[in-house]
Amino acid sequence: QDQLQQKIICPGPVTCLTASPNGLYILAGVAESIYLWEVSNGNLLAILNRHYQDLTCLCFTDDSSHFLSGAKDCLALVWNLYSVLQAEPSQIPDPRHVWSQHSLPITDLCCGFGGPLARAATASLDQTAKLWEVSSGELLLSVLFDVGIMAVTLDLAEYHMFCGGMDGSIFQVDLCAWPVQRDRTFQTERENGKVFKGHRNQVTCLSVSTDGSLLLSGSHDETVRLWDIQSKQCLKTMNHKGPVTNAFIVLAPANMFNPDGKPSIPLPKFSRHLHGTESNDEQGSEGVTLRLGLHQQESGESYLEKAEKMYSQMYSTREKNLVGDQEHLTIQVSELEEEVSTLRKINKNLFDFSARIITKPAK
């Protein structure tokens, strides 16, 4: 059995937890507050108190620039991470958007791809799932079900939205259905081909595979099921010894099959006081020094050098593509201009020929 690397004591019971995709920050919901830590040194950067009841869910955008929070107070908030980090410790920054259209506690959040231009989905006990635009804060779609919704997720192409109900049903909502309606009612009896049936208790979590063919679901019936989205058939059932609270599909990390691929430096202890307001004793506590590439004695490239080389190659390729596109457009324009001039000559010759035939005197 693997040893615990680090036991981190939080200020209270954690109701939800998430990490930024870039691996730099950790968010935790403790009662009504959102705690933001920096992973590398354990500093507590912010405590956000804008919810009125306990937090239920947190998620980041794929570029780590924004994060969303949902709570039992029926509110979903969109936060700009840069604004939160720049705010003074004595000030509570304002969220970018406050979504208050739900009438009962929010149970789940899901954010699509596109950074600040992404779309986000919210699920609630008020039997609705809503789709929002993060940039403008506009409500794009609201779907009403006949049961409370406990989990929501989007496929990679954002062609479908999957919603898990309190009765164990999983509903598939087509986001590209025609005609487009902002308010929609999902009628189970009419849409039997869009319901996954198998769980005997509320669905707590949903996750779609990268290729959009498989759906993973966890439930309080102590099972995790893997579904084929096209046929709605259950491919595999994994039994557990208690209610399943979270499950998701991830790409296998590079060092997964390497037995020696364990992190050499453990995580530092997360601070319980805001950064800059610690006591003198804690200010003198030991830190962690990271040296990237300096431990290598051979003449190989360091991590930073490899990263810089990769970025330079990426941007040079992009510039070449842009220049190539401009040259291609210039050639296309010149070819079209030549074709137009040729057609004008042909048209003029036809006109002259027709005019001579028509005006030719009769013999």
Side-chain angles (χ1 to χ4, degrees):
Q1 187 176 6
D2 292 338
Q3 291 184 348
L4 187 67
Q5 278 201 337
Q6 181 67 265
K7 184 177 181 180
I8 299 171
I9 306 298
C10 293
V14 176
T15 56
C16 49
L17 183 74
T18 189
S20 62
N22 58 18
L24 299 180
Y25 303 100
I26 289 282
L27 280 175
V30 179
E32 303 96 0
S33 304
I34 304 171
Y35 284 73
L36 174 65
W37 281 283
E38 190 172 2
V39 174
S40 61
N41 52 28
N43 287 336
L44 178 58
L45 302 179
I47 302 176
L48 306 174
N49 297 298
R50 286 300 298 263
H51 284 284
Y52 304 104
Q53 293 186 40
D54 290 357
L55 269 291
T56 56
C57 44
L58 290 163
C59 72
F60 271 94
T61 56
D62 61 328
D63 66 344
S64 305
S65 66
H66 291 72
F67 61 91
L68 288 74
S69 61
K72 292 181 179 179
D73 59 4
C74 315
L75 296 179
L77 307 182
V78 180
W79 303 86
N80 186 318
L81 181 60
Y82 177 78
S83 301
V84 171
L85 295 175
Q86 292 298 312
E88 295 293 330
S90 59
Q91 297 177 345
I92 300 177
D94 293 326
R96 181 171 178 180
H97 301 300
V98 178
W99 294 333
S100 57
Q101 278 84 337
H102 285 291
S103 56
L104 284 176
I106 291 175
T107 54
D108 198 15
L109 286 167
C110 173
C111 195
F113 283 82
L117 302 177
R119 296 186 293 180
T122 57
S124 172
L125 293 177
D126 63 6
Q127 302 185 1
T128 65
K130 299 182 187 292
L131 193 67
W132 312 80
E133 189 175 52
V134 173
S135 58
S136 65
E138 183 183 356
L139 176 62
L140 302 176
L141 175 67
S142 179
V143 185
L144 177 65
F145 300 88
D146 51 7
V147 294
I149 303 300
M150 300 299 298
V152 65
T153 191
L154 301 166
D155 63 353
L156 201 62
E158 296 182 20
Y159 195 79
H160 302 293
M161 179 169 65
F162 300 93
C163 306
M166 291 193 70
D167 63 348
S169 300
I170 303 171
F171 310 101
Q172 176 183 310
V173 179
D174 295 335
L175 300 180
C176 299
W178 190 263
V180 178
Q181 295 175 318
R182 179 167 294 186
D183 295 296
R184 207 187 299 177
T185 301
F186 191 96
Q187 297 176 338
T188 308
E189 62 275 4
R190 293 186 183 178
E191 306 194 56
N192 282 328
K194 297 177 183 177
V195 181
F196 300 80
K197 295 180 180 179
H199 284 298
R200 300 181 304 278
N201 206 333
Q202 67 182 42
V203 177
T204 55
C205 49
L206 294 169
S207 179
V208 183
S209 62
T210 308
D211 61 357
S213 64
L214 300 174
L215 175 69
L216 186 75
S217 63
S219 170
H220 275 190
D221 65 5
E222 304 183 0
T223 66
V224 170
R225 291 176 179 264
L226 191 66
W227 308 83
D228 178 68
I229 293 178
Q230 189 68 30
S231 64
K232 308 294 183 294
Q233 296 297 313
C234 180
L235 303 178
K236 190 175 183 180
T237 301
M238 292 155 275
N239 295 306
H240 291 69
K241 295 180 180 179
V244 178
T245 56
N246 202 2
F248 51 90
I249 300 173
V250 293
L251 296 174
N255 65 343
M256 181 177 178
F257 304 105
N258 182 8
D260 301 324
K262 294 182 179 179
S264 57
I265 302 176
L267 286 174
K269 290 185 178 180
F270 285 5
S271 173
R272 300 181 68 177
H273 302 280
L274 280 173
H275 180 54
T277 62
E278 298 93 339
S279 63
N280 293 329
D281 294 337
E282 292 186 350
Q283 283 181 355
S285 61
E286 61 181 20
V288 175
T289 302
L290 297 179
R291 295 186 177 183
L292 302 177
L294 296 181
H295 66 284
Q296 297 175 346
Q297 298 298 325
E298 63 271 11
S299 58
E301 290 181 312
S302 69
Y303 173 82
L304 293 177
E305 290 171 342
K306 288 180 180 177
E308 188 176 354
K309 184 178 178 182
M310 182 183 71
Y311 279 117
S312 63
Q313 288 176 350
M314 183 175 68
Y315 283 114
S316 65
T317 306
R318 185 180 173 189
E319 288 174 2
K320 286 179 182 177
N321 288 340
L322 290 173
V323 172
D325 289 343
Q326 290 176 353
E327 292 177 353
H328 181 66
L329 284 173
T330 306
I331 294 171
Q332 260 192 325
V333 169
S334 61
E335 289 177 352
L336 288 172
E337 286 176 347
E338 288 179 7
E339 189 175 352
V340 167
S341 62
T342 304
L343 290 172
R344 281 178 176 166
K345 288 179 182 178
I346 294 172
N347 189 40
K348 185 176 183 304
N349 291 335
L350 283 171
F351 177 80
D352 293 341
F353 177 75
S354 303
R356 284 198 301 272
I357 293 294
I358 293 170
T359 57
K360 188 176 181 180
K363 292 182 180 178

